[in-house]
Amino acid sequence: MPERRMFSRVVYLTAATIRQHDQSWSSSVLDLSLKGALLATPSDWAEGNNADYFVTFQLHDSDIEIKMEVLLVSDSDDFLRFQIDHIDIDSASHLKRLVELNVGNDDLLHRELGQLTDLKDTV
């Protein structure tokens, strides 16, 4: 099956919190891209409604917290796939730097940033 992914994923394992309204779940980030995140399904997971969720996590060995407003794309027994709907400029800068350090290919990163901009223009 051909690869359909437009954005490089980087493995990044860290604790995370998923929130929606007054519900909150502890989870773990498994991988990240400029467009979304893959998280472990919490043991007490109960899918909310179609409204946005909020995912927050801290970068390793720092006090930097990344905050993302996300849409649940799919869920399974093991994984939750989220698409970033909105991210503040500071979190976006840190996420870009994290991906940049782990992709190791400036040309690929700039192409993906261009694709991300193109996607936002169509919405």
Side-chain angles (χ1 to χ4, degrees), residues 67-107:
K67 304 172 192 170
M68 303 181 285
E69 191 172 334
V70 296
L71 299 171
L72 182 62
V73 175
S74 68
D75 68 340
S76 69
D77 291 339
D78 299 322
F79 307 110
L80 300 174
R81 290 174 178 82
F82 290 102
Q83 177 181 333
I84 298 171
D85 189 40
H86 178 3
I87 187 168
D88 66 81
I89 191 70
D90 289 333
S91 292
S93 296
H94 293 300
L95 180 61
K96 174 188 169 281
R97 182 68 177 147
L98 178 69
V99 171
E100 182 178 47
L101 290 172
N102 286 281
V103 167
N105 182 332
D106 285 343
D107 292 337

Side-chain angles (χ1 to χ4, degrees):
M1 172 179 259
E3 179 68 40
R4 297 181 337 172
R5 202 170 281 126
M6 291 175 51
F7 296 92
S8 297
R9 290 176 157 188
V10 296
V11 174
Y12 194 77
L13 306 175
T14 192
T17 301
I18 304 167
R19 289 183 297 108
Q20 186 182 55
H21 305 298
D22 60 348
Q23 294 181 303
S24 180
W25 300 270
S26 294
S27 183
S28 299
V29 172
L30 302 174
D31 72 33
L32 296 165
S33 76
L34 294 175
K35 190 65 178 165
L38 179 70
L39 277 74
T41 302
S43 58
D44 60 343
W45 176 248
E47 183 178 346
N49 56 38
N50 289 336
D52 285 344
Y53 290 85
F54 295 88
V55 170
T56 58
F57 62 93
Q58 278 195 268
L59 296 181
H60 296 290
D61 300 323
S62 81
D63 59 351
I64 296 170
E65 185 174 60
I66 294 185
K67 304 172 192 170
M68 303 181 285
E69 191 172 334
V70 296
L71 299 171
L72 182 62
V73 175
S74 68
D75 68 340
S76 69
D77 291 339
D78 299 322
F79 307 110
L80 300 174
R81 290 174 178 82
F82 290 102
Q83 177 181 333
I84 298 171
D85 189 40
H86 178 3
I87 187 168
D88 66 81
I89 191 70
D90 289 333
S91 292
S93 296
H94 293 300
L95 180 61
K96 174 188 169 281
R97 182 68 177 147
L98 178 69
V99 171
E100 182 178 47
L101 290 172
N102 286 281
V103 167
N105 182 332
D106 285 343
D107 292 337
L108 178 62
L109 179 67
H110 291 295
R111 186 192 75 195
E112 290 181 5
L113 286 170
Q115 289 172 339
L116 188 60
T117 303
D118 292 343
L119 290 174
K120 290 291 184 188
D121 291 340
T122 62
V123 175

